[in-house]
Amino acid sequence: MPADAHDRGSPMTDDAIARLLAGTLPDPDGGPPLSVPVRSVVIEPSLAGHEADLVRALDLGATLAVVSDPRTHAVLGERVVRALGSIASVIHVALPDAPHPDAPTAARIRQATASADALVAVGSGTINDLCKYAAARDFKPCAVFATAPSMNGYTSVNVAITVEGHKKSLPAVAPAGVFMDLEVLAAAPRRMIRSGLGDSICRCTAQADWLLAHLLLGTPYRSAPFVLLAADEDALIAESGALVAGDIAAVARLARTLILSGFGMTICGGSQPASQGEHLISHYIEMMHPPAWPGALHGEQIGVSTLTMARLQARILEGARPRPRPTRIDRAGVLGHFGARIGAACWAEFAAKALDGEAAERLDQRLAAAWDRVRDAVAAVTRPVAQLEAALTRAGAPTTPADLGLAPAFYADAVRHAREIRNRYTFLDLAGDAGRLDPASLV
């Protein structure tokens, strides 16, 4: 990769989505033009009356299973079922309210859609993930009608599914088509729109973490996902209040950002461009929260954890060179904290990146030789904490653990132990092994 390929990149002012679908968008990292397996993305002020035509063009088969829950069925699902009935035999799979994105729910969907040629999801994060995962397991195509601009997974080929208590990123099928009716999206609950904002502003912390791992450990890294997002990010952050005011142009900008973020993950073959330390903290919350916790939306959690990671990254980048030492976390500690079943799965992930004496010495030498260059390259892709916090505040989104209903001690545990969940090296690891991870000071 060229030495200057780590910056945020110049905005792509043309229609990046259309060019991605056509396979004509240049790859800023070199090589052939970028391409994605999704065949159709339609973002329009209204899709009313066009549902059947959109799906017919995908040629998904004679029997379609439309999957929704009570809320998404009332908002859009009933309309989709009625429209698709004119072009195919339709099986309506009615999930319970607030379905869980876990393996048992995916199994129930697979059973209910066994006779279908394809799945059509009507919903947002959870329903989208469940359908893409179920379709992948059964080698079937799927499509999605979005009901909220609440997350960036619509066009990705990975999903977040809980398996035996452990939140995992698992492979999924790419949707053949993604359809976004902006009137429906703008009318979504304000919390879900704020959630989409939260899932978008983590671009900077995710990129900083991913670039850090690349520069220190030589892991793969690409700038393409971030170049895709550059055209919309400044306005999205500066005009975040317009999202909850029903501004169609602002909602369209958010929808485009979420689609392109998902494509960034697809291009890279994993969630690395959009899921790093901030998502590890969120995953910990979802895995280990107190039983009485009322819950929060994924993007709400990501907004808060992004601020935490942005503070940590700024502190490390602005301070003295970190001096990593051998990792002091062992298998007994992980199993003791997470429990035997979940802890064993976490340890299998964490052990792969834990530093022994030799690895710590090599990393320390690398930092001694290259810290100034690493620091400057990573700092170039970040955003000020105050700017991110202001964007969330203008939209009325949570900015503190208390806003999520989380106690300080629990959130401190989330920050301290989040790095143990997955083999993904982030600033949480660098700070932890350098003795500079102080959770209480990061809120």
Side-chain angles (χ1 to χ4, degrees), residues 199-419:
D199 216 16
S200 298
I201 67 165
C202 74
R203 186 283 309 163
C204 54
T205 56
Q207 186 176 4
D209 276 340
W210 198 25
L211 180 55
L212 177 81
H214 169 68
L215 295 174
L216 293 186
L217 306 177
T219 55
Y221 171 88
R222 296 189 67 177
S223 63
F226 311 112
V227 174
L228 291 176
L229 298 172
D232 287 308
E233 186 173 292
D234 286 342
L236 181 67
I237 288 176
E239 302 169 11
S240 58
L243 291 170
V244 292
D247 187 304
I248 292 293
V251 173
R253 185 181 298 116
L254 176 59
R256 191 164 54 245
T257 294
L258 297 172
I259 290 292
L260 288 169
S261 181
F263 276 144
M265 290 186 274
T266 295
I267 289 166
C268 295
S271 62
Q272 289 88 342
S275 174
Q276 294 284 340
E278 73 293 320
H279 274 69
L280 295 180
I281 295 171
S282 178
H283 292 339
Y284 180 98
I285 293 170
E286 292 163 1
M287 290 166 56
M288 303 295 288
H289 64 79
W293 182 52
L297 297 179
H298 170 77
E300 292 178 322
Q301 295 167 196
I302 296 301
V304 173
S305 61
T306 292
L307 297 182
T308 297
M309 288 304 300
R311 293 186 186 103
L312 176 62
Q313 291 169 352
R315 184 169 302 169
I316 297 296
L317 294 172
E318 294 166 4
R321 174 175 72 84
R323 301 292 301 273
R325 294 293 181 263
T327 302
R328 301 180 64 181
I329 300 168
D330 59 17
R331 185 177 187 276
V334 173
L335 268 63
H337 183 78
F338 288 94
R341 180 169 54 85
I342 298 176
C346 290
W347 177 250
E349 291 279 324
F350 183 71
K353 64 176 177 177
L355 301 178
D356 59 18
E358 290 185 8
E361 179 62 26
R362 287 196 302 269
L363 183 55
D364 189 49
Q365 291 175 357
R366 172 68 174 157
L367 285 163
W371 175 240
D372 288 346
R373 182 174 68 85
V374 171
R375 179 191 60 207
D376 292 347
V378 175
V381 307
T382 64
R383 282 187 177 269
V385 178
Q387 188 181 85
L388 300 173
E389 187 170 15
L392 291 171
T393 299
R394 281 192 296 271
T399 58
T400 69
D403 292 340
L404 300 176
L406 297 172
F410 173 81
Y411 191 77
D413 275 347
V415 176
R416 185 177 296 109
H417 293 283
R419 68 186 183 119

Side-chain angles (χ1 to χ4, degrees), residues 141-231:
C142 74
V144 58
F145 283 86
T147 56
S150 57
M151 55 91 215
N152 63 356
Y154 285 113
T155 54
S156 69
V157 290
N158 50 275
V159 294
I161 299 290
T162 300
V163 180
E164 296 184 346
H166 189 196
K167 194 83 168 183
K168 294 185 175 184
S169 180
L170 300 174
V173 67
V178 179
F179 308 120
M180 292 185 155
D181 184 318
L182 292 174
E183 290 182 357
V184 172
L185 267 56
R190 294 297 176 259
R191 284 188 66 191
M192 300 193 78
I193 297 174
R194 295 176 184 122
S195 180
L197 174 65
D199 216 16
S200 298
I201 67 165
C202 74
R203 186 283 309 163
C204 54
T205 56
Q207 186 176 4
D209 276 340
W210 198 25
L211 180 55
L212 177 81
H214 169 68
L215 295 174
L216 293 186
L217 306 177
T219 55
Y221 171 88
R222 296 189 67 177
S223 63
F226 311 112
V227 174
L228 291 176
L229 298 172

Side-chain angles (χ1 to χ4, degrees), residues 40-43 47 54-55 58 76 143-146 177-181:
S40 176
V41 173
V42 180
I43 305 173
L47 298 179
L54 293 170
V55 175
L58 300 176
L76 185 57
V144 58
F145 283 86
V178 179
F179 308 120
M180 292 185 155
D181 184 318

